[in-house]
Amino acid sequence: MNAGSAPAWRTVAHFSADPLPADWRDQLAHRLGRRPRRVGLWTELAMFGARQCLDAAGEAALPAGARLRVSSLRGAWAATHAGLAQLDAGMLMPFTFMQGQPALMLAEVGRCLEWQGDASFALCRDPQQLLQLSKLGAGSAGLLVGVVEEERNGEKPRSEWWRLVPA
């Protein structure tokens, strides 16, 4: 490999919940040893998919040096709209507002993966572009990349994840 070329990557695990199993929330609670509390559907979908992907990779926890990247077309759409409706109704900073925040999702995913580190969220239409950007400068611990979508306008919820390491 010459100095200007990008490192090759390999996929250690890929998980796609399409369709989601009917008992996915029970599976998540069983795997975590607890029911997630004070998080919205979008965060639960992220936790479920990320945990399943790491399990498929045979990893009990995401390595400390790994990057966590999550993308979505709309983020926590339902919680965001519910929070705005509650705000319009006169509630001050409703709890639902917090459920729409990507930072909360990233913190909860990190917690369920027993991990702290470099995490980010991006609204994007092209997950491949996010993947290419995420690889730049990533270290030997690799990446955990996910696409998480809530149900909207007849579209099914989606939680799809890849665990990547340098080849």
Side-chain angles (χ1 to χ4, degrees):
M1 173 185 332
N2 64 40
S5 67
W9 291 82
R10 70 182 174 93
T11 302
V12 176
H14 173 242
F15 173 79
S16 179
D18 185 22
L20 279 165
D23 67 341
W24 71 271
R25 281 185 158 135
D26 291 335
Q27 288 181 34
L28 177 61
H30 178 72
R31 180 60 181 88
L32 297 178
R34 62 177 170 79
R35 288 229 178 256
R37 292 177 28 103
R38 298 188 174 274
V39 299
L41 172 64
W42 186 60
T43 298
E44 281 187 274
L45 286 166
M47 292 168 69
F48 176 71
R51 186 67 261 169
Q52 290 290 326
C53 189
L54 269 198
D55 286 349
E59 295 177 303
L62 187 61
R67 287 183 174 173
L68 172 64
R69 299 293 186 257
V70 183
S71 71
S72 178
L73 289 172
R74 292 172 291 278
W77 185 263
T80 300
H81 283 272
L84 290 172
Q86 290 172 358
L87 189 61
D88 285 346
M91 296 177 76
L92 297 177
M93 203 52 127
F95 179 74
T96 304
F97 171 80
M98 292 303 295
Q99 292 178 341
Q101 302 305 302
L104 176 65
M105 177 272 298
L106 292 170
E108 285 300 314
V109 170
R111 184 174 155 201
C112 88
L113 301 178
E114 300 177 31
W115 172 87
Q116 292 181 13
D118 181 358
S120 66
F121 167 74
L123 287 174
C124 73
R125 297 192 183 283
D126 184 1
Q128 286 301 320
Q129 185 179 23
L130 176 70
L131 180 59
Q132 294 308 317
L133 288 171
S134 298
K135 289 177 181 178
L136 296 174
S140 61
L143 305 164
L144 179 63
V145 179
V147 178
V148 182
E149 305 292 352
E150 291 179 327
E151 184 173 1
R152 182 171 177 262
N153 296 336
E155 297 173 15
K156 301 266 189 237
R158 176 178 179 207
S159 190
E160 186 167 8
W161 292 79
W162 296 263
R163 177 69 174 105
L164 302 160
V165 295

